Amino acid sequence: MKIGCHLSASKGFLAMGKEAASIGANVFQFFTRNPRGGSAKAIDPKDVSDFLSFSAEHGISHLLAHAPYTLNPCSADPKIRGFAVNTFIDDLKRMEYVPGNMYNFHPGSHVKQGVERGIELIVETLNTVLTPDQSTTVLLETMSGKGSEVGSKFTELREIIDRTHLGDRLGVCLDTCHVYDAGYDIVGNLELVLEEFDKILGLNRLKAIHINDSKNPFASHKDRHELIGKGHLGLDALVRIINHPALRDLPFYLETPNDLAGYGEEIALLRSLQK
Ligand code: FE
Ligand code: FE
Ligand code: ZN
């Protein structure tokens, strides 16, 4: 099973690899820079090469970088969109130090401009930042629909992918807390949700799962993560997700409100429950 969690990137790649290994993780997610924005630390090539040999030895793969929350490709403010473009380009350049991995971003909030205009601006951003020779797959995260978030409906993600010139460089990261909060009943009818995902987006585009419980009930459009088994999804539903034939081979990333030891316990728990 490929499972891990979100780790702090502040001490570099090798430190993340060691942390992952210490809690039984074989995949992990990290922020490319401060989640609230700002500039990124310079990449140390020695740290990267040490990390690459460490991860090869320890079977660590499927790195998932997460864009900062302040990256809003569909803001009405051209300055904020400019930050999104510059950050995206810089992050994708940095990702080539660890080639063949994934970069996840929130499609953005359209803030009163309407979903259609939001999608148009997201597509414009992607058409500016994606390059034919990049080795990184860029993932659109499924959102809860809090505020004016774009991407809480599979159809919106499909439209973004269809209208992006290099749409084949795009994939989807399904966040279990977000989709449930958005109104996809993965507790009551996982099969139906996956059928819909397949029909609209294609399960071949699903590249990663954020495995979180939710503090809020179905269709609440809230987006507050809860510890595994302690929220409205519950352990049984999450266990069905990690065992589903269409999902079980994907990398799973915990983003629960946890410390490192707590993540280790959740990883051990989920590993013990994948059949
Ligand atoms: Fe996210
Ligand atoms: Fe997430
Ligand atoms: Zn979230």
Side-chain angles (χ1 to χ4, degrees):
M1 179 180 192
K2 294 191 274 288
I3 183 163
C5 62
H6 187 89
L7 295 173
S8 162
S10 62
K11 294 192 201 106
F13 279 104
L14 181 60
M16 286 192 282
K18 286 184 172 167
E19 255 182 15
S22 78
I23 55 168
N26 51 1
V27 302
F28 64 87
Q29 175 178 268
F30 61 99
F31 282 123
T32 52
R33 60 191 71 221
N34 185 305
R36 305 272 154 222
S39 60
K41 218 171 81 187
I43 292 214
D44 171 4
K46 167 89 167 77
D47 174 50
V48 173
S49 67
D50 288 350
F51 165 73
L52 290 174
S53 35
F54 182 89
S55 57
E57 260 166 56
H58 290 81
I60 294 169
S61 63
H62 295 77
L63 308 197
L64 179 55
H66 196 304
Y69 295 140
T70 45
L71 189 150
N72 185 4
C74 63
S75 169
D77 181 344
K79 262 195 280 179
I80 295 175
R81 289 206 304 279
F83 169 82
V85 166
N86 292 336
T87 301
F88 225 123
I89 290 174
D90 187 47
D91 281 352
L92 288 180
K93 223 183 273 166
R94 297 153 59 82
M95 285 301 287
E96 291 304 319
Y97 282 90
V98 284
N101 285 297
M102 303 178 288
Y103 180 78
N104 174 75
F105 77 108
H106 296 175
S109 297
H110 65 71
V111 198
K112 295 190 189 132
Q113 302 174 96
V115 180
E116 270 316 302
R117 177 66 180 150
I119 288 174
E120 198 175 296
L121 290 170
I122 294 161
V123 168
E124 203 177 290
T125 300
L126 287 170
N127 283 340
T128 309
V129 304
L130 299 181
T131 58
D133 52 340
Q134 68 179 62
S135 72
T136 303
T137 304
V138 171
L139 306 187
L140 300 150
E141 184 168 352
T142 59
M143 301 311 293
S144 68
K146 153 172 63 77
S148 63
E149 277 174 349
V150 180
S152 65
K153 297 194 177 82
F154 297 159
T155 48
E156 294 171 3
L157 299 177
R158 175 63 202 247
E159 203 182 328
I160 294 168
I161 293 169
D162 277 349
R163 289 167 59 182
T164 300
H165 299 320
L166 295 169
D168 61 328
R169 300 296 187 284
L170 297 174
V172 175
C173 172
L174 185 145
D175 186 309
T176 54
C177 166
H178 295 180
V179 291
Y180 191 63
D181 284 16
Y184 290 103
D185 190 4
I186 52 173
V187 176
N189 203 338
L190 176 63
E191 211 53 56
L192 192 72
V193 174
L194 291 179
E195 263 170 40
E196 193 173 344
F197 188 102
D198 195 32
K199 201 172 68 195
I200 296 168
L201 281 159
L203 279 166
N204 60 319
R205 285 209 177 82
L206 182 55
K207 304 294 184 195
I209 309 264
H210 283 165
I211 187 96
N212 302 309
D213 213 322
S214 176
K215 282 196 199 295
N216 291 290
F218 179 63
S220 58
H221 303 287
K222 281 288 204 315
D223 185 4
R224 296 208 41 221
H225 304 183
E226 181 55 284
L227 298 171
I228 296 301
K230 300 279 189 278
H232 287 263
L233 272 78
L235 187 59
D236 289 353
L238 293 167
V239 168
R240 285 195 294 274
I241 288 167
I242 61 168
N243 281 299
H244 193 283
L247 309 177
R248 56 176 293 123
D249 293 327
L250 290 167
F252 293 92
Y253 304 85
L254 292 156
E255 302 176 305
T256 50
N258 233 332
D259 56 14
L260 198 61
Y263 278 136
E265 285 165 27
E266 289 187 333
I267 289 167
L269 173 68
L270 292 174
R271 271 194 199 289
S272 75
L273 294 169
Q274 198 188 48
K275 291 168 212 129

